[in-house]
């Protein structure tokens, strides 16, 4: 499952939940190696992120139900989507 919609809303929710700073400090290569073992949880958190973007407060409330590791994977996915978007933008 892929992120859809407004990445900024998802980023803002994760930032307010305190997820962004720890993710920036972690070793992504190690975390991404473990990703296949957590794919079901990641799919669930992505589905929630896609579903509740219209209301950042509701989105934060729903995201708080997930464990920190799943939220970290969501933050990494937001970062990858941003990077892909900007890479495509640079090609034009």
């Amino acid at each position: 499952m892929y992120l859809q919609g407004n990445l900024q809303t998802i980023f803002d929710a994760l930032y307010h939940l305190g997820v962004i700073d720890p993710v920036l400090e972690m070793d992504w290569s190690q975390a991404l190696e473990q990703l296949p073992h957590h794919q079901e949880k990641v799919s669930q958190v992505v589905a929630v992120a896609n579903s509740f973007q219209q209301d950042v407060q509701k989105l934060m409330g729903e995201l708080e139900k997930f464990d920190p590791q799943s939220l970290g994977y969501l933050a990494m996915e937001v970062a990858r989507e941003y990077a892909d978007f900007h890479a495509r933008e640079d090609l034009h």
Side-chain angles (χ1 to χ4, degrees):
M1 175 164 288
Y2 298 98
L3 288 172
Q4 301 172 351
N6 188 343
L7 292 175
Q8 188 64 51
T9 301
I10 301 169
F11 177 88
D12 291 346
L14 292 169
Y15 181 81
H16 289 295
L17 292 172
V19 175
I20 299 298
D21 287 336
V23 168
L24 292 175
E25 296 171 3
M26 68 189 292
D27 178 359
W28 284 32
S29 59
Q30 183 180 9
L32 291 173
E33 283 178 17
Q34 297 299 314
L35 179 61
H37 304 291
H38 304 284
Q39 196 60 48
E40 185 176 333
K41 283 185 178 181
V42 173
S43 293
Q44 291 171 352
V45 75
V46 167
V48 166
N50 288 340
S51 298
F52 292 96
Q53 291 181 34
Q54 348 33 296
D55 182 349
V56 75
Q57 294 299 321
K58 177 76 171 164
L59 177 59
M60 287 191 305
E62 293 297 317
L63 291 177
E64 284 180 322
K65 297 175 183 177
F66 289 92
D67 62 278
Q69 186 177 40
S70 296
L71 295 176
Y73 283 120
L74 177 61
M76 285 186 271
E77 187 59 30
V78 169
R80 290 194 316 184
E81 289 286 331
Y82 267 130
D84 287 347
F85 174 77
H86 288 293
R88 285 190 307 267
E89 213 175 55
D90 289 342
L91 293 174
H92 296 266

